[in-house]
Amino acid sequence: MKTVNEVSKLTGVSIRTLQYYDQIGLLKPAEYTESGYRLYDDAALEKLQQILLFKELEFPLKDIKEIINRSDFDKTKALEQQIELLELKKEHIENLLNLCNYLKTRGVRKLDFTAFDSSKLEEYSRKAKEQWGQTAAYKEYEEKSKNWTKEDRSNMMADFSKLFEEFGTMKDMDPASAEVQAQVKRVQDFITENMYTCTNEILYSLGTGYASGGEFTQNINKMGGKGTAEFVFRAIKIYCGQ
């Protein structure tokens, strides 16, 4: 058995994230001590590994929860897909390294942009989502987006971005204020109208991703300025009663 602190050190997953996974029923500890401390066995760690694999494929937590709890979930197939994805990422990074080393050693211009091509990774992720993504939310999104044109998709994302730009103007406000909370509601309503039914559970999961420090955080901070993503997450936490 490992404590939540030991699991965090072993996996790099923060204690706060592990606590949140427990709260939403995504990853329950094997047991709790009399003092309420979480303890994880090998089965729980294996499940955490599966969660992290699907996060690499950019699945939302709600979908991951549904997928790994399916009776027909194939662990071997999931691992094989992850190996293939990592091989593609390795190839992509090696191409970039080769280009950088060429430019460094030759000291000449090389107008070659093939090293930046990530289409293989994108196509692989798309296919994986087709296989695993048949959750209720995914099906709803597929239905709503099936007739979208490229222009429709672009306009929708532009409108979504504006919501975060507006959040950027509110960063000095109290995240619990009526105005900020109304802005959170607009985000939730926008997702429900254009993508899938955004429950408070899904919204909180999205908020966690917004403040995770990855690409989500970077993009939101570009829209609203530094600190916007973290501010949005604080507002969402209050909205969802967390």
Side-chain angles (χ1 to χ4, degrees):
M1 289 286 191
K2 288 183 169 55
T3 65
V4 68
N5 188 52
E6 290 172 333
V7 172
S8 179
K9 290 179 179 178
L10 175 67
T11 64
V13 179
S14 71
I15 293 175
R16 186 178 74 172
T17 297
L18 291 168
Q19 292 170 340
Y20 176 61
Y21 287 175
D22 184 6
Q23 291 170 12
I24 65 174
L26 177 62
L27 179 67
K28 289 288 186 182
E31 60 183 73
Y32 301 87
T33 66
E34 292 183 0
S35 303
Y37 292 105
R38 296 170 174 84
L39 296 175
Y40 297 82
D41 59 9
D42 288 345
L45 291 176
E46 181 184 357
K47 191 170 186 179
L48 176 58
Q49 185 180 63
Q50 292 160 7
I51 291 167
L52 297 178
L53 295 183
F54 278 104
K55 281 191 70 179
E56 283 292 319
L57 290 169
E58 300 179 356
F59 278 81
L61 295 181
K62 180 178 181 294
D63 290 357
I64 295 173
K65 180 180 175 181
E66 186 172 333
I67 290 166
I68 64 178
N69 288 324
R70 286 182 189 172
S71 59
D72 62 346
F73 176 56
D74 188 336
K75 297 178 184 178
T76 301
K77 183 174 75 172
L79 186 57
E80 287 173 351
Q81 287 184 330
Q82 184 62 16
I83 291 170
E84 187 172 349
L85 176 66
L86 291 173
E87 290 289 348
L88 289 172
K89 286 186 175 182
K90 177 184 174 184
E91 179 184 340
H92 183 61
I93 292 172
E94 286 178 344
N95 288 338
L96 290 172
L97 283 171
N98 289 337
L99 175 61
C100 289
N101 285 327
Y102 180 93
L103 295 174
K104 179 181 178 181
T105 57
R106 299 295 180 89
V108 295
R109 296 174 64 193
K110 182 181 182 182
L111 300 179
D112 180 4
F113 295 91
T114 56
F116 301 98
D117 182 11
S118 60
S119 59
K120 286 184 180 179
L121 285 168
E122 292 166 0
E123 176 66 10
Y124 184 78
S125 291
R126 183 187 68 77
K127 288 181 178 179
K129 287 182 178 181
E130 286 177 356
Q131 284 189 320
W132 294 107
Q134 297 306 309
T135 60
Y138 183 85
K139 290 176 182 177
E140 185 178 357
Y141 174 75
E142 287 285 284
E143 180 64 26
K144 287 185 175 181
S145 64
K146 66 181 180 181
N147 295 320
W148 284 359
T149 64
K150 187 176 181 179
E151 183 178 2
D152 291 334
R153 192 178 299 275
S154 177
N155 289 338
M156 189 273 289
M157 292 310 299
D159 290 340
F160 195 41
S161 297
K162 286 179 183 177
L163 294 173
F164 293 101
E165 290 174 9
E166 291 166 3
F167 263 121
T169 68
M170 302 177 178
K171 284 182 295 185
D172 294 331
M173 300 174 62
D174 182 349
S177 68
E179 186 175 349
V180 175
Q181 289 298 294
Q183 186 70 5
V184 175
K185 180 69 164 56
R186 282 192 282 273
V187 169
Q188 185 180 41
D189 290 346
F190 185 93
I191 295 171
T192 295
E193 181 180 350
N194 295 279
M195 303 175 195
Y196 46 79
T197 302
C198 186
T199 63
N200 282 8
E201 181 184 1
I202 292 176
L203 182 64
Y204 187 78
S205 176
L206 290 171
T208 302
Y210 294 162
S212 65
E215 188 175 352
F216 269 139
T217 303
Q218 295 171 11
N219 289 337
I220 291 173
N221 285 343
K222 285 179 183 177
M223 298 172 201
K226 185 177 179 181
T228 300
E230 292 77 7
F231 177 76
V232 172
F233 180 47
R234 291 202 304 274
I236 287 175
K237 283 181 68 176
I238 294 168
Y239 181 90
C240 296
Q242 296 292 329

